[in-house]
């Protein structure tokens, strides 16, 4: 049987199975029974992207079987064979959707199944920054568990997001591979059809970040091929359906590397029997180049470990967390004051523990020097300490400055990890990421209680205070330059942020100082200065220079932007925003919802449904993506009345921003405890009950001019 025939046979088998299972479900539940994947506004994503039709019932799912069947056109043309593979993909999505119809919890931990929209959106920043340089999808069963684990760990240590399908999941579990979405090794399911959940991530990236229109299948294929760096590894025996699914992967631009002989298609379908070369062959096929800095520590160091959590039962040592003093500080010094790569631990190390868990005070002082270094860059470099320590396998870091909380796991300790290794990681990453401004770096770690307390008072607090005063003095009016940020354009070609002192990038990761530092680090990179010239409207925040910048960077997709308005030419959104706000006309204000909140809001839509209206670089008056920190800014939709318009937020978000929000409201409106006037889901989730609450509280939005 030739390759084309194998593909067609597999596609027909998948479509037939999907049809049989749909009919069985209809017989049990009826055609009007609802169908959906949990927590997505794009159900069912692959079918929706391909056809523009949302599937909501079993009756509609039955019609989708016909869509899958129509994609299988048996000819001798390569394109028809690849399109038949898409028929297998559609059939797989139908089969997986039925699992959620017939079982309230078809996948149980550690198996993931479907990934939520919030999870997909959270991948936006690490994908565009290269923290996630690629996405392997591993299918089947490797020759032995040790080999499977070695390959997966190598991907993990390089920072890739790895999806697992089939018996390889059990092989990795057997070898103790750390798994989970936060650890970037995600077991999707044992059935081959579970691979559609990886395809769904790529397709939703096209919908969310690329703003590709549902139904424009060709544009979706171009997006996944050119912008989603995914590829497939297949281990062990293959069958017709697997080959047909491979054709779908190739049609979406994802190369397939197999360890069994196949007719090779250069750069797309490759045979690599040597498992020592699997990773290198796959990365080369997808043209993924990874810069790995070798760090002399006994554990892995990679962005994939950023989400690792060290539970109390697994903890060897702990610092801070309200149990001991802990602070971290980066300070600029003259070149002659810094001894490069000097790492010193002053006080007891963690191998002196007389009990487990071991609690110690901690001060991490990082001295940097460089000809291009500026004091404004100190907090930028200091914030990266959080990531550097979390990149370290077996280390958990939370907080910053003098509220740092660090845990070291028992497993890391047993491998030989000690405090000096924290210094090694910080030194290596600081020199790697900030080599343009950091010529020398030394790290001193203190655990002596008296010394930590004294240093906190003598060097840390004065520096923190000076920085806070500097940040408070930085307003949009006090500078003559804003910065454009095009970091997300590799995913959202039409999107560009304008970052100001009072408005961070909507991802929440790029402040004005970050952008300034980025410009120094990479003069031709994603952050570029835009002089404030040609003021058109001071209230709405419109400058001719900003309009010219966004028009140029978006290649004409956007020609005007208002910095302070949500109703007139608001800033575009890429899709990875932390929050979205939308108007509620009946309350004369806006709701704000963060991507972690999955329930409905008083406007009758979830975060995903609201976000689906405004991602991908489009301007949607009345809706705006933004970062958490921007909520308490005095420039937050100031053209329409500012933060006084905020009428509803999820409680977690409200509590997170309450202190800063209350301070801003007091300064702007002389209102005390403004956050108490804002409704949340514990009070009301429908507009009528929300309005009653706002009236009881005398919320200021009710007295402002009508929004619409």
């Amino acid at each position: 049987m030739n390759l084309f025939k194998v593909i067609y046979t597999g596609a027909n088998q998948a479509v037939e199975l999907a049809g049989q299972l749909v009919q069985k479900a209809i017989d049990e539940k009826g055609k009007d029974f609802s169908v959906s994947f949990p927590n997505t506004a794009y159900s069912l994503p692959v079918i929706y992207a391909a056809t523009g039709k949302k599937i909501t019932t079993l009756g509609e799912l039955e019609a989708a079987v016909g869509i899958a069947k129509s994609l299988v056109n048996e000819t001798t043309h390569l394109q028809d064979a690849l399109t038949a593979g898409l028929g297998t993909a559609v059939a797989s999505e139908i089969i997986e959707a039925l699992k959620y119809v017939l079982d309230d919890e078809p996948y149980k931990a550690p198996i993931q199944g479907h990934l939520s929209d919030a999870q997909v959106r959270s991948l936006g920043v690490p994908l565009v920054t290269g923290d996630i340089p690629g996405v392997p999808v591993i299918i089947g069963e490797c020759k032995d568990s040790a080999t499977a684990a070695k390959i997966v760990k190598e991907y993990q240590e390089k920072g890739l997001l790895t999806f697992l399908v089939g018996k390889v999941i059990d092989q990795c579990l057997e070898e103790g591979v750390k798994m989970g979405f936060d650890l970037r090794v995600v077991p999707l399911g044992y059935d081959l059809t579970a691979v559609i959940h990886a395809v769904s991530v790529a397709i939703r990236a096209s919908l969310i970040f690329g703003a590709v229109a549902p139904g424009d299948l060709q544009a979706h294929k171009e997006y996944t091929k050119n912008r989603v760096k995914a590829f497939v590894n297949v281990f062990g025996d293959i069958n017709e359906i697997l080959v047909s699914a491979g054709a779908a992967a190739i049609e979406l631009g994802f190369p397939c590397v197999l360890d069994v002989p196949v007719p090779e298609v250069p750069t797309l379908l490759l045979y690599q029997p040597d498992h020592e070369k699997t990773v290198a062959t796959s990365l080369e096929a997808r043209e993924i180049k990874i810069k790995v800095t070798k760090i002399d520590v006994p554990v892995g160091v990679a962005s994939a470990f950023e989400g690792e959590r060290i539970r109390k039962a697994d903890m060897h040592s702990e610092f801070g967390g309200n149990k001991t003093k802990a602070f971290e500080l980066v300070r600029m010094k003259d070149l002659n004051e810094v001894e490069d790569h000097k790492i010193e631990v002053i006080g007891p190390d963690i191998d002196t523990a007389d009990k487990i868990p071991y609690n110690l005070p901690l001060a991490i002082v990082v001295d940097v020097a460089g000809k291009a270094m500026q004091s404004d860059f100190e907090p930028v470099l200091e914030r990266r300490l959080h990531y550097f320590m979390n990149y370290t396998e077996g280390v958990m870091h939370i907080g910053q400055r003098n509220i740092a909380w660090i845990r070291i796991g028992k497993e890391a300790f047993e491998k030989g990890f000690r405090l000096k290794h924290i210094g090694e990681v910080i030194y290596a990453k600081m020199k790697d990421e900030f080599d343009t401004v950091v010529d020398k770096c030394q790290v001193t770690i203190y655990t002596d209680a008296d010394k930590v307390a004294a240093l906190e008072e003598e060097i840390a607090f004065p520096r923190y205070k000076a920085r806070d005063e500097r940040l408070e003095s930085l307003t949009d009016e006090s500078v003559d330059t804003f910065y454009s940020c095009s970091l997300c354009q590799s995913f959202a070609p039409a999107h560009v942020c304008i970052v100001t002192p009072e408005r961070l990038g909507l991802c929440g990761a790029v402040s004005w100082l970050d952008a300034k530092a980025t410009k120094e680090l990479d003069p031709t990179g994603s952050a570029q200065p835009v002089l404030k010239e040609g003021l058109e409207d001071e209230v709405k925040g419109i400058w001719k220079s900003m309009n010219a910048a966004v028009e140029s960077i978006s290649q004409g997709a956007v020609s005007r932007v208002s910095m302070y308005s949500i109703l007139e030419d608001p800033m575009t959104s890429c899709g990875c925003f932390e929050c979205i706000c939308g108007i509620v006309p009946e309350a004369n204000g806006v709701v704000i919802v963060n991507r972690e909140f999955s329930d409905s809001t008083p406007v009758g839509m979830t975060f995903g449904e609201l976000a689906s209206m405004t991602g991908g670089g489009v301007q949607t008056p009345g809706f705006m993506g933004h970062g958490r920190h921007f909520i308490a800014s005095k420039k937050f939709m100031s053209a329409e009345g500012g933060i006084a318009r905020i009428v509803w937020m999820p409680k977690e978000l409200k509590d997170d921003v309450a202190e800063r929000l209350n301070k801003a409201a007091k300064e702007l409106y002389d209102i005390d405890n403004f956050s108490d006037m804002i409704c949340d889901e514990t009070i009301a989730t429908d507009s009528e009950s929300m309005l009653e609450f706002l009236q009881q509280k005398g919320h200021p939005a009710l007295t402002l001019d009508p929004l619409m």
Side-chain angles (χ1 to χ4, degrees), residues 96-124:
E96 287 295 309
L98 288 170
K99 291 181 181 180
Y100 287 87
V101 168
L102 300 172
D103 190 334
D104 291 337
E105 191 181 5
Y107 290 107
K108 296 176 175 63
I111 310 302
Q112 169 79 44
H114 168 80
L115 279 75
S116 69
D117 286 354
Q119 287 174 307
V120 176
R121 290 178 186 279
S122 72
L123 297 173

Side-chain angles (χ1 to χ4, degrees), residues 319-497:
F319 314 88
N322 294 323
K323 295 180 177 65
T324 63
K325 283 186 178 294
F327 75 87
E328 51 204 26
L329 180 72
V330 171
R331 57 184 180 178
M332 182 182 77
K333 287 199 165 188
D334 292 335
L335 283 165
N336 60 2
E337 296 179 292
V338 177
E339 181 181 338
D340 192 42
H341 205 170
K342 180 182 179 182
I343 296 169
E344 190 176 8
V345 177
I346 299 176
D349 206 330
I350 57 176
D351 55 5
T352 62
D354 55 357
K355 64 175 182 175
I356 305 298
Y358 191 31
N359 295 101
L360 278 173
L362 186 73
I364 300 174
V365 180
V366 183
D367 292 319
V368 296
K371 294 177 182 178
M373 183 65 191
Q374 301 177 26
S375 59
D376 271 351
F377 299 163
E378 285 182 348
V380 176
L381 273 60
E382 194 171 281
R383 282 196 297 274
R384 293 300 294 171
L385 297 181
H386 168 77
Y387 296 95
F388 297 163
M389 281 185 264
N390 274 327
Y391 289 170
T392 309
E393 184 180 12
V395 177
M396 183 185 82
H397 181 280
I398 296 172
Q400 59 180 322
R401 302 215 307 193
N402 63 318
I403 57 169
W405 178 22
I406 302 169
R407 283 180 170 180
I408 297 174
K410 293 177 181 176
E411 186 179 338
F413 176 81
E414 290 165 1
K415 289 180 179 179
F417 190 85
R418 301 294 183 265
L419 290 178
K420 67 176 182 179
H421 295 122
I422 290 178
E424 290 288 355
V425 171
I426 291 171
Y427 171 80
K429 300 299 287 184
M430 199 67 77
K431 291 295 288 285
D432 181 47
E433 290 195 12
F434 298 103
D435 60 323
T436 306
V437 297
V438 176
D439 299 327
K440 290 183 178 182
C441 174
Q442 71 180 37
V443 182
T444 310
I445 298 172
Y446 301 87
T447 60
D448 177 88
D450 292 339
K451 193 69 173 175
V452 170
L455 289 172
E456 187 179 47
E457 290 294 329
E458 293 168 11
I459 67 169
F461 284 157
R463 231 173 184 96
Y464 297 155
K465 182 180 179 182
R467 288 179 192 165
D468 290 342
E469 290 173 352
R470 165 69 170 146
L471 286 173
E472 286 181 8
S473 71
L474 281 175
T475 64
D476 287 5
E477 289 78 17
S478 70
V479 300
D480 60 7
T481 303
F482 293 162
Y483 286 89
S484 63
C485 180
S486 58
L487 185 65
C488 294
Q489 281 207 328
S490 60
F491 259 40
H495 169 63
V496 56
C497 271

Side-chain angles (χ1 to χ4, degrees), residues 41-55 93 203-204 207 212-216 220 612:
Y42 304 95
S43 197
L44 302 176
V46 175
I47 296 171
Y48 179 52
T51 67
K53 298 177 181 178
K54 287 194 174 185
I55 303 298
E93 186 168 58
I203 286 295
R204 277 181 287 162
L207 289 163
V212 178
D216 192 345
H220 283 291
S612 67

Side-chain angles (χ1 to χ4, degrees), residues 580-597:
I580 187 169
C581 68
I583 59 174
V584 195
E586 55 266 49
N588 203 33
V590 298
V591 301
I592 302 177
V593 59
N594 53 305
R595 66 174 172 232
E596 293 83 5
F597 186 78

